[in-house]
């Protein structure tokens, strides 16, 4: 499934949109909820109200920063 297909859906137990990674706590909570449930899709760079694609200024830097936060906070570690 691609991003265009995902943003046609509505947020719910298996789909969440975040504009950016500034709210790491909310993102971590979403990841934990997905891990404790049936999984899901977290799309970063999309407005959750309008589903407008905003994008991410530096995807590599953002991905690395978020990966580090996930590794530092979530236990047990994902495998």
């Amino acid at each position: 499934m691609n991003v265009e297909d995902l943003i046609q859906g509505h947020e719910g137990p298996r789909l969440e949109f975040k504009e950016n990674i500034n709210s790491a706590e909310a993102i971590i909570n979403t990841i934990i909820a997905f891990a404790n449930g049936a999984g899901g899709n977290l799309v970063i760079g999309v407005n959750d109200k309008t589903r407008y694609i905003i994008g991410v200024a530096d995807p590599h830097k953002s991905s690395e920063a978020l990966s580090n936060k996930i590794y530092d906070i979530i236990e047990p570690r994902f495998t």
Side-chain angles (χ1 to χ4, degrees):
M1 185 174 285
N2 62 39
V3 173
E4 288 84 11
D5 292 336
L6 286 172
I7 64 172
Q8 296 305 313
H10 296 281
E11 287 187 308
R14 299 194 62 198
L15 179 61
E16 182 77 21
F17 302 120
K18 298 290 182 196
E19 286 191 31
N20 52 54
I21 65 167
N22 293 344
S23 179
E25 184 176 330
I27 291 173
I28 297 294
N29 289 339
T30 297
I31 292 169
I32 291 169
F34 286 164
N36 286 330
N41 292 292
L42 172 61
V43 183
I44 299 173
V46 175
N47 180 284
D48 63 342
K49 304 271 188 282
T50 64
R51 293 182 294 203
Y52 178 75
I53 298 173
I54 297 166
V56 177
D58 188 344
H60 179 72
K61 183 179 176 182
S62 296
S63 174
E64 188 172 312
L66 185 56
S67 292
N68 288 337
K69 288 179 184 182
I70 290 167
Y71 182 82
D72 290 343
I73 295 171
I74 297 176
E75 289 188 17
R77 305 276 186 248
F78 290 115
T79 57

